[in-house]
């Protein structure tokens, strides 16, 4: 589902998905609190205290020449004046609160950091500055955050920004076949102390990820084996007091999904697990345990036999509480380009939900907090041209489309006279890429001081640089602008978001959540 440091997660074949690139386990450094992030002080507090409410002012006695008639008029005037003063004060207070405490506006927007025209120095300066109020949520739909054992920063960030998440999924478990038995591995990674701290700080539900690595023919063709596998998962949930599970299995079943009978059994297994979880209540909340199922986006507008499609989503919708959609890893080492073109994300949601928002509401739109540093062929990238006028097919063959992107990016107009030859050359020369975390990204910015460009067709930033060996690189890494636009896409569908994975991002990203 996501990316590993040493191996690409669900493979590059899953165009999009929680990725595969579990990157390095290096823990990013966190800068101290920024003076700019301190709470605003109400400068007029003293002046407001010194004001006297007109309704409390003592009115000096007046000498009346008209007896009680004038007294009644004075009393009526005083009452009207007092009422007017109270209303005015109330309205003033509402305006005051609105203008001095824009709580609904993310801190990064207040500092004008969410934009297309961003400078490398600005990122280096601002990346660690976050709002002092780390508990305020700006995205009201569900937020699922993945945490990996090999990147300890995610554990700390989950505690620090606990209130911004509705679901936390530590990547702990694998269900494997050993002979005729199933073995559940991963308990050694489970951290009870960390879970206890999380639950003291907020209400995010803890749903560890379980990957089914058991051979599908052994698991799905035998009802007793299916029951055993489900029992192992259910027992672990009860013993560890989890709030449910995130299950990843579809990509492991590709080899059998073309068989209609096997596909039916695969769906039945997921339904059976979901129903079993729903029949158990949490010891803490009293709510039933949840099942979130990991799905990869279709590789083509015309669904293939192994694709998870809208019919599958409909069949599982009552038994599954949410679907973690891996809308990233659109490109690969052999086809460098954007991680998740926004139009492609939209088309994927449209296809899977069958344009039905009631189904879309169960989807967690995947957002990557990692990026890629692509190594290009030596000497090919000579200058970066404006890509704003380019189009990109949203479906395969995406390799050629993405190659065309970088051919046009790399060469001057004269080079296009030999377009076919250069496409072939570039395709054969590429193939090296490394997944990068926020720490890697900042290091590249600091070392090469690149010009960061916004590509509006993809809605992503990228930059080019030449390393010390004179080799050309292209870097795609998320920014506040790219993340905010994907969050808006999810919001427009009523969908949630899922983040792979929070330890790989920059601190400022969390101000958007």
């Amino acid at each position: 589902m996501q990316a590993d440091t040493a191996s690409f997660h669900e493979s590059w074949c899953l165009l999009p998905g929680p990725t595969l690139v579990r990157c390095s386990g290096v823990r990013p450094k966190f800068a101290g609190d920024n003076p700019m992030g301190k709470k605003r002080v109400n400068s007029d507090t003293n002046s407001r205290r010194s004001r006297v409410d007109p309704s409390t002012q003592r009115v000096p006695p007046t000498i009346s020449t008209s007896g009680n008639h004038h007294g009644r008029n004075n009393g009526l005037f005083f009452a009207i004046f007092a009422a007017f003063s109270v209303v005015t004060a109330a309205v003033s207070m509402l305006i005051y609160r609105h203008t001095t405490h824009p709580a609904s506006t993310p801190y990064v927007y207040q500092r004008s950091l969410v934009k297309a025209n961003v400078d490398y120095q600005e990122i280096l300066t601002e990346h660690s500055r976050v709002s002092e109020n780390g508990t305020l949520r700006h995205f009201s739909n569900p937020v699922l955050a993945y945490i990996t054992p090999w990147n300890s920063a995610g554990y700390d960030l989950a505690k620090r920004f606990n209130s911004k998440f509705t679901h936390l999924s530590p990547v702990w478990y694998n269900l494997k076949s050993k002979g005729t038995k199933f073995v559940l591995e991963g308990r050694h990674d489970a951290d009870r102390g960390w879970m206890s701290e999380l639950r003291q700080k907020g209400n995010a539900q803890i749903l560890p990820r379980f990957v089914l690595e058991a051979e599908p023919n052994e698991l799905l063709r035998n009802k007793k084996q299916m029951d055993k596998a489900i029992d192992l998962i259910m027992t672990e949930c009860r013993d560890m007091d989890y709030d449910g599970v995130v299950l990843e299995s579809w990509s492991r079943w590709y080899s059998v999904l073309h068989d209609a009978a096997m596909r039916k059994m695969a769906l039945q297994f997921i339904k059976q697990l979901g129903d079993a979880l729903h029949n158990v209540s949490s010891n803490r909340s009293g709510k039933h345990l949840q099942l979130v199922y990991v799905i990869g986006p279709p590789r083509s507008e015309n669904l293939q036999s192994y694709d998870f499609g809208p019919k599958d989503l409909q069949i599982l919708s009552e038994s599954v509480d949410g679907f973690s959609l891996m809308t990233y890893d659109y490109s690969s080492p052999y086809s460098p380009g954007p991680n998740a073109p926004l139009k492609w994300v939209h088309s994927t949601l449209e296809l899977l939900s069958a344009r039905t928002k009631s189904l879309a509401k169960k989807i967690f739109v995947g957002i990557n907090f990692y990026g890629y540093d692509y190594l290009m062929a030596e000497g090919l990238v000579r200058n970066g041209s404006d890509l704003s006028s380019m189009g990109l097919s949203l479906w395969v063959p995406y390799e050629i489309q993405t190659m065309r992107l970088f051919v046009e990016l790399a060469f001057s107009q004269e080079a296009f006279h030999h377009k076919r030859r250069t496409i072939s050359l570039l395709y054969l020369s590429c193939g090296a890429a490394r997944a990068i975390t926020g720490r890697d990204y900042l290091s590249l910015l600091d070392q090469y001081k690149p010009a960061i460009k916004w590509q509006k067709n993809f809605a992503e930033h990228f930059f080019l640089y030449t390393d010390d060996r004179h080799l050309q690189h292209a870097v795609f890494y998320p920014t506040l602008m790219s993340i905010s636009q994907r969050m808006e896409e999810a919001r427009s569908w009523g969908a949630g978001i899922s983040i792979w994975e929070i330890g790989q991002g920059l601190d400022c990203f969390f101000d958007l959540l």
Side-chain angles (χ1 to χ4, degrees):
M1 155 181 176
Q2 291 83 1
D4 291 58
T5 309
S7 61
F8 290 109
H9 170 52
E10 283 206 355
S11 83
W12 294 100
C13 71
L14 271 187
L15 286 189
T19 2
L20 333 162
V21 182
R22 296 173 179 166
C23 303
S24 71
V26 179
R27 177 178 180 147
K29 296 180 180 178
F30 297 104
D33 293 336
N34 176 10
M36 295 178 63
K38 293 182 179 179
K39 294 182 179 179
R40 298 177 65 179
V41 178
N42 297 333
S43 59
D44 63 339
T45 299
N46 293 332
S47 62
R48 288 199 301 119
R49 285 177 179 172
S50 65
R51 294 174 189 164
V52 179
D53 188 326
S55 65
T56 65
Q57 291 182 356
R58 296 186 62 184
V59 181
T62 58
I63 299 176
S64 172
T65 58
S66 304
N68 293 336
H69 174 71
H70 285 101
R72 286 194 297 272
N73 286 343
N74 287 339
L76 179 61
F77 173 80
F78 180 83
I80 293 173
F81 184 75
F84 176 79
S85 300
V86 171
V87 172
T88 301
V91 172
S92 298
M93 182 60 70
L94 288 174
I95 294 174
Y96 171 79
R97 288 178 178 174
H98 176 73
T99 55
T100 59
H101 297 281
S104 60
T105 304
Y107 190 48
V108 287
Y109 278 100
Q110 296 177 37
R111 286 151 53 215
S112 302
L113 299 178
V114 186
K115 56 189 177 183
N117 185 21
V118 63
D119 178 75
Y120 80 90
Q121 187 60 59
E122 186 175 61
I123 296 176
L124 291 174
T125 302
E126 303 285 349
H127 71 89
S128 63
R129 298 180 179 179
V130 297
S131 171
E132 280 193 354
N133 187 355
T135 63
L136 185 63
R137 290 193 65 195
H138 302 291
F139 187 75
S140 58
N141 297 347
V143 177
L144 166 64
Y146 289 97
I147 302 100
T148 58
W150 53 87
N151 194 344
S152 62
Y155 288 93
D156 295 332
L157 290 166
K159 292 187 291 185
R160 183 180 176 189
F161 298 105
N162 184 297
S163 298
K164 291 181 177 286
F165 311 118
T166 56
H167 302 72
L168 290 167
S169 184
V171 178
W172 285 342
Y173 292 98
N174 293 281
L175 184 67
K176 299 182 177 181
S177 300
K178 286 201 174 178
T180 59
K181 297 181 179 180
F182 295 123
V183 176
L184 184 62
E185 298 180 351
R187 173 71 75 90
H188 64 280
D189 283 323
D191 190 333
R192 290 181 183 269
W194 175 72
M195 291 192 296
S196 177
E197 288 186 68
L198 283 174
R199 287 166 173 167
Q200 292 173 12
K201 291 177 176 289
N203 299 315
Q205 299 182 78
I206 301 175
L207 289 73
R209 190 190 71 167
F210 289 71
V211 176
L212 294 191
E213 297 184 357
E215 210 287 317
N217 282 298
E218 296 178 5
L219 174 64
L220 300 176
R221 291 186 183 278
N222 189 316
K223 179 67 165 60
K224 290 184 178 180
Q225 292 291 75
M226 290 173 61
D227 293 341
K228 288 180 181 179
I230 290 174
D231 185 60
L232 282 173
I233 296 173
M234 294 299 301
T235 299
E236 191 69 7
C237 283
R238 284 189 287 263
D239 290 349
M240 297 295 292
D241 196 22
Y242 295 141
D243 298 299
V245 304
V246 171
L247 179 68
E248 182 177 352
S249 65
W250 199 261
S251 62
R252 270 60 178 180
W253 294 343
Y254 280 169
S255 62
V256 300
L257 292 173
H258 64 280
D259 184 318
M262 289 293 287
R263 189 187 194 91
K264 183 177 180 180
M265 287 185 279
L267 293 171
Q268 181 56 42
F269 176 88
I270 301 166
K271 286 171 62 70
Q272 186 176 333
L273 175 59
D275 294 341
L277 289 166
H278 292 170
N279 286 330
V280 176
S281 297
S282 168
N283 293 329
R284 296 180 308 102
S285 66
K287 298 179 180 179
H288 69 70
L289 303 188
Q290 293 191 13
L291 172 61
V292 173
Y293 191 62
V294 178
I295 57 175
R299 293 197 57 170
S300 168
E301 190 172 10
N302 300 314
L303 295 177
Q304 304 299 310
S305 60
Y306 48 76
D307 284 327
F308 186 95
K311 290 184 179 179
D312 302 311
L313 193 148
Q314 288 178 320
I315 290 172
L316 297 177
S317 61
E318 292 187 6
S319 301
V320 174
D321 299 280
F323 297 88
S324 182
L325 175 61
M326 299 188 289
T327 37
Y328 32 77
D329 278 354
Y330 178 84
S331 303
S332 80
Y334 295 98
S335 57
N339 288 314
L342 187 58
K343 292 179 181 178
W344 168 72
V345 174
H346 175 84
S347 297
T348 300
L349 284 169
E350 195 172 55
L351 176 63
L352 283 175
S353 66
R355 297 182 174 85
T356 304
K357 287 199 173 183
S358 60
L359 289 177
K361 288 180 179 179
K362 287 210 165 189
I363 294 176
F364 293 88
V365 180
I367 295 179
N368 55 292
F369 270 18
Y370 63 92
Y372 285 105
D373 179 350
Y374 295 102
L375 176 63
M376 310 302 291
E378 182 176 359
L380 288 187
V381 181
R382 298 210 247 292
N383 56 65
S385 57
D386 180 13
L387 306 180
S388 60
S389 62
M390 290 181 53
L392 179 69
S393 172
L394 299 178
W395 306 101
V396 287
Y398 70 100
E399 293 91 345
I400 298 302
Q401 293 289 341
T402 314
M403 281 298 101
R404 180 175 179 271
L405 157 67
F406 273 86
V407 170
E408 296 195 18
L409 169 67
F411 292 89
S412 60
Q413 291 298 317
E414 299 78 48
F416 288 112
H417 293 297
H418 307 287
K419 185 180 296 183
R420 290 183 181 178
R421 186 180 65 81
T422 50
I423 288 178
S424 176
L425 174 62
L426 186 59
Y427 190 88
L428 292 174
S429 300
C430 292
R434 69 180 180 112
I436 59 173
T437 65
R439 178 176 178 173
D440 301 321
Y441 182 67
L442 295 174
S443 178
L444 290 172
L445 294 182
D446 184 54
Q447 182 176 359
Y448 296 105
K449 300 173 176 49
I452 301 174
K453 298 188 178 184
W454 174 256
Q455 214 303 307
K456 66 180 182 180
N457 284 342
F458 308 145
E460 289 190 26
H461 281 102
F462 71 97
F463 67 80
L464 306 174
Y465 76 92
T466 303
D467 66 21
D468 297 336
R469 297 172 297 166
H470 306 291
L471 298 176
Q472 315 297 324
H473 295 250
V475 175
F476 283 82
Y477 185 83
T479 58
L480 290 168
M481 184 72 168
S482 67
I483 293 171
S484 66
Q485 291 201 4
R486 281 145 188 79
M487 290 175 65
E488 283 303 313
E489 180 68 29
R491 186 181 282 113
S492 71
W493 288 90
I497 60 172
S498 58
I499 302 168
W500 183 272
E501 50 94 4
I502 59 174
Q504 296 173 338
L506 302 179
D507 288 10
C508 60
F509 292 171
F510 295 92
D511 269 334
L512 293 171
L513 302 179

